[in-house]
Amino acid sequence: MRVRMLLFPRPTASGPAARPGLQRFLIGAAGVCLAAVSVIVGCRALGIDGVTPVPQLLAFLPWLLVPTAAALVLTALLRWRTGVVWGLVVLAATGWFVRPYDAGSYGTEAMGATTSTGTGSGSGTGSGSGAGARGPVVARIDVLTSNVEFGQATPALVTAIRREKPDLVFVQECDSVCVRLLTARIPHADYPYRNVVTSGVGEAKGSVILSALPLTDTEGIKGALGMPGSRAVIGGRTVQLQLVHPMPPLPGGVDLWRDELGVIRTYAAGRKDAPLILAGDFNATRDHAAFRDILDAGRLRDSSVRGGAGRTPSWPADVPRPLGAQIDHVLISDDFSVRDARFLDLADTDHRSLLVRLELRARS
């Protein structure tokens, strides 16, 4: 009790300045914590990604609830009234932005209360979420996207492809060894159509689109890591397919990250109402303004949200759920509805793979 009274005595008329040194230190620590979270949440509210370390911390926005709550408890124990009010405001603002996403929204309407998040196993059982999709179903297709981390997880990906049998597979960080393994271990009869890009910079270069459906290669999107594009005729409709893998927002590289997401946004905006699937490692979450701009520009929706796995993390895979950030996405136009979305754990990669089961509908 005596220690508690020394740390958390009743307030005096002199205010915080007259408190013992340890109390002033604790108040200062709580204030720094609340100030840091306030900056990040403020950027989220203003729709800007800011500079390092804001873009990096925005990826983990839900987990800022923990230091905010801890700071609030500390200010309450210290009876620092200004800090208590500040903490309540920051906690409420953070909680507002980490609510479950709205399955029917683009990027601007980031949140809602109508969508359940993924389960602990990373699976979602979507109810054919087809907000915006009209017309009869003309085809059902399964799409898998996987970052194999410098090709290391290629054997595990081969196993997943054989088990799940997706129609389309988008592979990132697929180097020359990865390409050879896919060629040797994935029967050409199952995936006769392949769009391979091995150009790029660094160990993360190289991307592949595998398809059981006929493909016509397109120019794709220019980027440091290589992002191939294709067209496929599915159910009588021509569907644009684009693999996405921009550079990550590393310290000193945020401008390049923002520029490459801007190129993807321009591509999405120019789709001219054609059915579109954008799949890959976006190195961005729904809490990044640059990612929401892509959704808005192309009138796209995130299939994991519509499939019931909207807050399931995909990176880093070695941390326990629900820790981590969801940076792997399959974005779809309103021509599609989602039957199911779930994340798969593969060995030897820092990413979880995303498998979505889609329905393509006739033009309304």
Side-chain angles (χ1 to χ4, degrees):
M1 178 63 71
R2 184 176 180 182
V3 173
R4 183 183 183 280
M5 290 302 296
L6 287 172
L7 289 175
F8 313 118
R10 297 188 180 279
T12 65
S14 305
R19 296 171 182 261
L22 178 58
Q23 292 179 45
R24 293 199 300 273
F25 172 79
L26 293 174
I27 287 176
V32 169
C33 178
L34 291 175
V37 177
S38 297
V39 170
I40 298 165
V41 175
C43 287
R44 178 64 177 85
L46 294 172
I48 57 176
D49 291 325
V51 299
T52 298
V54 175
Q56 294 85 353
L57 291 175
L58 276 171
F60 302 95
L61 185 65
W63 318 123
L64 296 183
L65 289 168
V66 175
T68 304
L72 176 59
V73 170
L74 183 58
T75 59
L77 291 174
L78 290 167
R79 297 183 176 88
W80 179 32
R81 294 179 182 177
T82 301
V84 170
V85 174
W86 187 6
L88 287 172
V89 171
V90 174
L91 189 66
T94 308
W96 172 266
F97 287 116
V98 303
R99 292 182 302 159
Y101 295 124
D102 181 359
S105 71
Y106 303 131
T108 301
E109 298 176 26
M111 304 294 173
T114 60
T115 303
S116 62
T117 57
T119 66
S121 63
S123 65
T125 53
S127 57
S129 177
R134 298 291 184 269
V137 175
V138 296
R140 287 186 170 184
I141 56 173
D142 295 348
V143 179
L144 176 67
T145 180
S146 181
N147 183 318
V148 292
E149 192 180 7
F150 316 140
Q152 297 173 155
T154 308
L157 174 62
V158 170
T159 300
I161 291 173
R162 291 173 175 172
R163 181 182 67 247
E164 303 293 346
K165 297 179 172 59
D167 301 287
L168 297 167
V169 184
F170 296 79
V171 190
Q172 305 91 56
E173 298 192 20
C174 189
D175 58 11
S176 57
V177 175
C178 167
V179 173
R180 289 198 296 270
L181 281 174
L182 291 176
T183 301
R185 299 186 184 184
I186 298 295
H188 190 269
D190 295 338
Y191 294 91
Y193 306 97
R194 308 183 182 204
N195 188 350
V196 179
V197 171
T198 57
S199 60
V201 298
E203 292 183 297
K205 68 180 180 181
S207 299
V208 175
I209 301 176
L210 302 177
S211 176
L213 307 165
L215 292 183
T216 300
D217 294 349
T218 62
E219 184 178 358
I221 296 176
K222 294 181 179 180
L225 301 178
M227 294 184 271
S230 298
R231 286 193 301 269
V233 178
I234 305 174
R237 303 194 66 183
T238 300
V239 179
Q240 297 181 31
L241 309 173
Q242 179 59 54
L243 184 145
V244 172
H245 192 200
M247 291 292 285
L250 299 173
V254 171
D255 288 342
L256 178 57
W257 168 77
R258 187 179 288 110
D259 289 345
E260 292 200 342
L261 287 174
V263 173
I264 297 168
R265 177 191 180 279
T266 300
Y267 173 88
R271 70 180 182 89
K272 299 180 180 178
D273 295 326
L276 174 62
I277 297 175
L278 282 177
D281 172 11
F282 283 72
N283 277 311
T285 74
R286 191 71 171 263
D287 291 312
H288 288 110
F291 180 79
R292 297 195 301 276
D293 286 345
I294 295 171
L295 295 174
D296 287 333
R299 304 188 308 282
L300 304 176
R301 293 191 172 94
D302 196 332
S303 60
S304 62
V305 175
R306 298 174 76 177
R311 278 290 185 186
T312 303
S314 65
W315 177 88
D318 58 353
V319 301
R321 294 182 177 93
L323 301 178
Q326 187 182 114
I327 61 175
D328 299 88
H329 308 272
V330 175
L331 306 187
I332 53 176
S333 60
D334 283 348
D335 307 272
F336 296 93
S337 56
V338 181
R339 292 183 290 134
D340 179 73
R342 56 194 173 94
F343 286 88
L344 312 177
D345 287 291
L346 303 186
D348 302 317
T349 176
D350 56 350
H351 287 252
R352 294 184 177 97
S353 301
L354 173 60
L355 176 67
V356 299
R357 304 185 189 278
L358 306 175
E359 293 177 337
L360 176 63
R361 297 179 179 270
R363 184 184 297 275
S364 59

